[in-house]
């Protein structure tokens, strides 16, 4: 039985990760901002007794990250796979009107949070385990062809760098580190015109994560949900 930890687990892709993992018999620690209001997650706790632990976590707040990491440490278990899924996107940004708060809050959520949480939980992460961040094709500098969603795109490009750096920091423990794009998915963030249902995106990503193994020649890779490399 594999122990997963997933952030932003109360809706969207995070919730679907939890659902598919519980259904296949794995154990999950789920972080979300308001466990008391996480109805679907809490129903899973009842349906899969002993397999799901829900803990409060706001990834943009270093104090919340530290408190979450302490609570996880108190569970005295080791994590096989840590998935940084929590993320935010400010829509409707226009050149000339991009606000400092949008840039800084998006960076705190999408980049700083995963980096600090990886550091804080590194002692609980198993040697030979996996560290995965849900990134985005919009974080690919090489593919950027328009002034799109700058706060988000900058934060995901920086997240990719954070994962590459963490890959090197954790290489001596043979922890495989990956930035993984889910594709364009029908969630609150992706919207109803997106290409993929959450169930399909998660099934694809779980295949990539299951196949992931430490490889010195591929530290901190950036892959799509088909397992193919995305250019930086
Ligand atoms: N959907 C897509 O097409 C798409 C494409 C590329 C990448 N992604 C990435 O996939 C991940 C999941 O996205 P999604 O589509 O599922 O988005 P979503 O439906 O908007 O859900 C976002 C999740 O992140 C949580 N979250 C946001 N800020 C947080 C914070 N400060 N602390 C803790 N949790 C926080 C939300 O919690 P609350 O309910 O408390 O707000 C929610 O659970 C994100 O990293 C996103 O960037 C999505």
């Amino acid at each position: 039985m594999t122990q997963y930890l997933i952030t932003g687990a109360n809706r969207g892709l995070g919730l679907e990760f939890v659902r598919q993992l519980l259904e296949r018999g794995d154990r999950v620690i789920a972080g979300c901002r308001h466990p008391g209001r996480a109805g679907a997650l809490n129903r899973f706790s009842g349906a899969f007794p002993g397999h799901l632990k829900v803990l409060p976590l706001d990834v943009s707040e270093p104090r919340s990250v530290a408190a979450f990491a302490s609570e996880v440490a108190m569970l005295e278990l080791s994590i096989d796979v840590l998935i940084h899924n929590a993320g935010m996107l400010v829509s409707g940004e226009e050149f000339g009107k991009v606000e400092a708060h949008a840039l800084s809050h998006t960076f705190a959520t999408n980049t700083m949070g995963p980096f600090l949480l990886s550091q804080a939980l590194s002692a609980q992460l198993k040697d030979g385990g996996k560290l995965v961040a849900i990134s985005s094709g919009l974080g690919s500098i090489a593919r950027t062809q328009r002034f799109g969603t700058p706060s988000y795109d900058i934060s995901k490009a920086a997240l990719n760098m954070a994962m590459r750096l963490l890959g090197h920091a954790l290489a001596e423990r043979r922890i495989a580190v990956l930035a993984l794009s889910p594709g364009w998915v029908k969630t609150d963030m992706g919207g109803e015109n997106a290409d993929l249902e959450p169930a399909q995106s998660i099934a694809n990503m779980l295949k990539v994560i299951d196949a992931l193994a430490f490889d010195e020649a591929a530290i901190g890779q950036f892959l799509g949900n088909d397992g193919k490399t995305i250019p930086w």
Side-chain angles (χ1 to χ4, degrees), residues 38-60:
L41 255 190
N42 292 324
R43 279 193 290 282
F44 288 153
S45 295
F48 298 90
H51 281 238
L52 175 62
K53 178 87 185 161
V54 183
L55 295 173
L57 171 65
D58 182 333
V59 296
S60 70

Side-chain angles (χ1 to χ4, degrees), residues 100-120:
H101 181 257
L103 282 161
S104 63
H105 190 51
T106 308
F107 185 85
T109 306
N110 293 358
T111 315
M112 187 181 79
F115 185 81
L116 292 180
L117 189 58
S118 300
Q119 281 194 147

